[in-house]
Amino acid sequence: MNFTQFLLILNARKGIILGVLLLTVAVTTVVSLLLPKQYTATTTLIIDSKSKDPFSGQLMPSQMFPGYMATQVDVIQSSNVAQKVVSELKLASSPGTHEQFMEATEGKETSTSGWAICC
C-alpha cells in the first residue's frame, strides 16, 4: 500500500471519521455542561525557619515548627476563616453565588466543611 491508496481509503471513510468526531465533540460538550463546576484553590507559603517568636522576640527552636505548622493548617481550614471570607466578600448577598451554594449543598444551609451562608 502506498500513500495514494491510504488517502483514497481515508476519503472513502470520511463520513465515518467525521461522524465519530462530531459524536465525540457533542458528548464531551453535553457532559461538561451537565457536570457541576468545581474550583480548587492552591497557594504557596514561604516559612522563614529563623523567625522570631511573636510574643518573646526570641528565635524559635526548630522543634517548635511541627506544632506551629499544624496550628497554622488548623487555622486556615477552620470554619471561622471560611465564614469571614464569605462575610468580607459578601458572598451571602450575591444571588448567583447563593444559588450555586444551594445547588451544591442540595438545599441545605450548611456545607460539609462547616461554614454557612445566612439567607
Side-chain angles (χ1 to χ4, degrees):
M1 172 171 38
N2 60 22
F3 189 67
T4 306
Q5 288 175 327
F6 179 71
L7 290 178
L8 289 172
I9 292 170
L10 285 180
N11 191 28
R13 304 285 190 255
K14 70 181 171 187
I16 295 172
I17 294 170
L18 288 176
V20 170
L21 175 67
L22 291 176
L23 178 68
T24 304
V25 169
V27 168
T28 304
T29 302
V30 168
V31 168
S32 68
L33 291 175
L34 292 178
L35 288 177
K37 306 221 179 329
Q38 293 182 335
Y39 302 98
T40 303
T42 60
T43 187
T44 303
L45 299 175
I46 299 174
I47 299 173
D48 184 10
S49 63
K50 296 177 185 156
S51 65
K52 293 183 179 181
D53 183 9
F55 299 111
S56 66
Q58 297 177 349
L59 290 177
M60 292 176 57
S62 60
Q63 301 93 322
M64 295 292 288
F65 276 93
Y68 178 77
M69 291 302 298
T71 302
Q72 297 303 313
V73 168
D74 288 342
V75 168
I76 291 171
Q77 293 177 341
S78 74
S79 62
N80 287 340
V81 172
Q83 288 174 352
K84 284 184 182 181
V85 168
V86 169
S87 173
E88 294 206 8
L89 294 179
K90 296 178 178 51
L91 296 176
S93 62
S94 170
T97 304
H98 184 68
E99 289 173 15
Q100 288 176 349
F101 180 79
M102 294 303 280
E103 281 180 19
T105 60
E106 298 172 352
K108 298 176 184 147
E109 288 297 318
T110 307
S111 73
T112 57
S113 64
W115 58 277
I117 293 182
C118 298
C119 300

